Amino acid sequence: MISEEHFKRYVDEFNSTADKSDAVDRFYAPDAVFRNPFKGEFRGRDALVNFFNSGKGSGHEGIREILHLENLLIVEDRIAAQFDIEWRCLADTNYLGPRKKGDVFWGRCAAFYSYADHKFNYVDLYLNLAEHT
């Protein structure tokens, strides 16, 4: 079973850097599946890193994503987490709609994780854009 402290370390590490490679290696199984309702399904380490990263040519190009954990429920090998997600535009982008450099926009998210062998192996996201949080 994952601890609350371990999950919070994941959130902190995810938020701390534009390159998510180390966080994916530490917290996700090599063949993990991540489902995003707007962006699709990502399978395996390379697909996850490319989607999560904020650098040029990545899934979050021009965006810095910050997770704000609001609620967390852990039962055995399942995790339910509620986040407010803050997206900061580092450049003009079309991430979830046209955005200008300097814009900040928000989403509300419920994420459901499966966990085995100390790694996330499946994540299913439910996400709504929000006026503000």
Side-chain angles (χ1 to χ4, degrees):
M1 183 167 108
I2 187 174
S3 69
E4 181 175 338
E5 293 77 26
H6 185 77
F7 191 85
K8 287 180 177 179
R9 275 195 304 274
Y10 159 69
V11 172
D12 289 344
E13 188 166 333
F14 184 93
N15 287 342
S16 70
T17 181
D19 183 354
K20 309 297 188 211
S21 301
D22 289 342
V24 169
D25 290 341
R26 253 189 291 293
F27 294 99
Y28 285 85
D31 59 348
V33 174
F34 183 91
R35 295 185 63 214
N36 179 300
F38 295 109
K39 297 294 187 173
E41 184 174 284
F42 303 90
R43 292 179 172 273
R45 183 215 183 262
D46 292 344
L48 289 172
V49 168
N50 187 58
F51 174 64
F52 289 148
N53 276 353
S54 60
K56 186 165 179 56
S58 72
H60 285 76
E61 184 173 348
I63 293 290
R64 180 167 191 295
E65 180 176 74
I66 304 167
L67 305 177
H68 299 272
L69 182 63
E70 299 296 322
N71 289 297
L72 180 65
L73 175 64
I74 301 171
V75 177
E76 297 176 5
D77 64 345
R78 303 274 189 221
I79 302 156
Q82 177 189 0
F83 298 99
D84 286 337
I85 302 177
E86 177 183 355
W87 291 288
R88 296 183 169 270
C89 299
L90 308 174
D92 290 353
T93 183
N94 197 35
Y95 189 80
L96 300 178
R99 313 284 176 188
K100 297 288 183 195
K101 180 179 180 176
D103 285 354
V104 176
F105 64 108
W106 290 83
R108 293 243 161 99
C109 171
F112 299 93
Y113 298 76
S114 294
Y115 188 78
D117 298 323
H118 307 290
K119 303 268 184 160
F120 305 132
N121 56 20
Y122 185 83
V123 182
D124 203 357
L125 222 60
Y126 295 84
L127 179 63
N128 288 314
L129 296 179
E131 291 294 316
H132 51 75
T133 60

